[in-house]
Amino acid sequence: MPKQARINGIKSYRCYTKAEAAALVGVSTRTISNWTKNGLPLMDASHPPLVRGDDLRNHIIAQRESRKVKTGLSEIYCLPCRKSHLPAGRMADCKIEGNKAMLTALCGVCEGIVCKPISLSDLPEIRYKLDLTITRPEAAL
């Protein structure tokens, strides 16, 4: 089973049984049943119950969008906390290599190490909000 449900093969104008939808998307029929309990609309009370292709696609996309976490420019997403937090003490290390930069800091809640790639154009604004220690690699001779 894939980690995410596939939406590529879903035809908007077609109706699928639960088994067909499960095979098409790459999940189990039990997952489709759970989705119908959580808001995936069925066509009507016909037997077997049918799911419209556009409803299936919209439900999967809505699920993906609901799991996304927005982080502010000076915030870092912490995997153990599963939330966006400011770095501990508003301090972070910034390593610049070429035209890329990587922030490394401690989570303000669990104190785990967190990283975030940033754009060099955002660096002045982040520097205003956080205490940054900027390092650059030494030039090779």
Side-chain angles (χ1 to χ4, degrees):
M1 296 280 165
K3 191 161 182 122
Q4 271 192 341
R6 297 185 303 259
I7 61 171
N8 290 345
I10 301 173
K11 305 270 190 252
S12 300
Y13 54 86
R14 188 143 180 234
C15 296
Y16 301 99
T17 63
K18 287 183 180 181
E20 290 172 339
L24 180 67
V25 174
V27 297
S28 68
T29 54
R30 181 73 180 166
T31 301
I32 300 291
S33 297
N34 289 338
W35 287 353
T36 58
K37 291 176 188 172
N38 293 329
L40 176 63
L42 296 175
M43 288 271 302
D44 55 16
S46 65
H47 198 57
L50 298 175
V51 178
R52 288 180 36 182
D54 56 346
D55 288 338
L56 181 61
R57 176 176 295 166
N58 292 340
H59 184 77
I60 293 170
I61 291 171
Q63 275 186 326
R64 289 179 184 175
E65 289 298 318
S66 70
R67 288 191 298 258
K68 289 184 180 180
V69 176
K70 302 287 184 188
T71 60
L73 197 55
S74 60
E75 295 178 329
I76 299 179
Y77 181 78
C78 180
L79 284 172
C81 297
R82 295 192 180 269
K83 291 186 181 176
S84 174
H85 300 291
L86 283 171
R90 292 186 179 258
M91 295 185 299
D93 294 330
C94 179
K95 185 175 181 182
I96 299 174
E97 289 184 10
N99 60 353
K100 297 184 268 181
M102 179 68 76
L103 285 182
T104 305
L106 294 176
C107 173
V109 176
C110 71
E111 296 188 359
I113 297 174
V114 289
C115 298
K116 177 181 180 178
I118 60 167
S119 170
L120 289 179
S121 61
D122 293 333
L123 194 56
E125 190 175 340
I126 294 171
R127 201 173 190 180
Y128 177 73
K129 295 179 180 181
L130 298 177
D131 181 21
L132 292 181
T133 304
I134 298 175
T135 57
R136 296 176 191 262
E138 309 235 353
L141 297 174

